Amino acid sequence: MNQSIEHIISRPDTWRGTSSHQASHFILNTASANTTWPAARSISTGFASLDAKLQLGGWPLQGAVEVLSNDDNSECMSLFLPTMQTLSAEKRWQAFINSPHTPYAPLLRAHNIPSEQILMVHPKHRDETLWAAEQAVRSTTCSTVFVWLGSTHYRYAEIRKLQLAAASTDTLLFLFRSSDALKDATPVSLRLHINAYREVTVVKQRGGKREVEIRLPESHLLKVQTAQSHNKAVATKTGTFLTPVA
């Protein structure tokens, strides 16, 4: 067999079909693209009930995640605290691109997330947002990248470019978008919709079930809290995590 073809077939992300007349022992002994991919390319969300419904058992490490909601997504940021805490051990940047708020430093400290790892990026327009997101992911200097795309319309090809960038590295990429984007097709590996307090719908996931509704259990991470930061704390549905950029 040609070496180039053999290399492609042996890749864990290549699915290899078999014809019905082939021997059963061949089917049983041929590695499936879906057997090694989940374990190798995911990280726990920190919520067992959410992990259990995700095909990979957590966030995909090589592919983008879309998070949709009716607000600016500040109400769901506490969902990512366990992930940020885990990734802080890598001592890489955790980038916030085009965020409408700044992370609430006391809460970060309470969860052992060093504030010096937080990188705030303020693009001037949509093209800069896309460019900054791609560069942050491809640089591999970031363990995770959070990008606020808002209600602005983005072409499928633009989102696909970010998906391909995320697929080529081990940097987690989260794209926050308006619920209006639900009507648009998406190339991302995982799409979630935040419906209400502790209510999440898995709209799409690679190789897994769609339209899966999840109610997260009560957690200190998801409780609505009140706090002060320059007298402008944001008490969100999932906890005080972000404060307005003044």
Side-chain angles (χ1 to χ4, degrees), residues 131-179:
W131 181 86
E134 183 180 1
Q135 297 307 308
V137 171
R138 290 192 183 280
S139 72
T140 70
T141 60
C142 299
S143 59
T144 184
V145 177
F146 299 102
V147 187
W148 277 260
L149 300 179
S151 58
T152 303
H153 175 72
Y154 289 88
R155 298 188 305 276
Y156 184 94
E158 291 174 319
I159 301 299
R160 183 173 183 271
K161 193 173 183 180
L162 296 180
Q163 164 69 10
L164 291 174
S168 67
T169 73
D170 64 348
T171 297
L172 269 174
L173 174 61
F174 295 97
L175 305 175
F176 298 113
R177 306 183 69 186
S178 166
S179 296

Side-chain angles (χ1 to χ4, degrees), residues 20 31 54 77 100 114 121 157 169 171 175 178 184 198 203 223 232:
S20 57
L54 297 180
M77 279 306 298
V121 182
T169 73
T171 297
L175 305 175
S178 166
D184 300 329
R198 295 192 292 116
V203 180
K223 290 180 180 178
K232 292 183 179 180

Side-chain angles (χ1 to χ4, degrees), residues 53 195 200-202 211-215:
K53 299 297 184 180
N195 308 312
V200 180
T201 297
V202 179
E211 302 301 330
V212 179
E213 296 186 358
I214 305 165
R215 184 168 179 81

Side-chain angles (χ1 to χ4, degrees), residues 194 196-200 214-219 222 237-238:
I194 307 298
Y197 174 56
R198 295 192 292 116
E199 294 181 5
V200 180
I214 305 165
R215 184 168 179 81
L216 298 175
E218 286 285 355
S219 168
L222 302 177
K237 285 183 286 187
T238 56

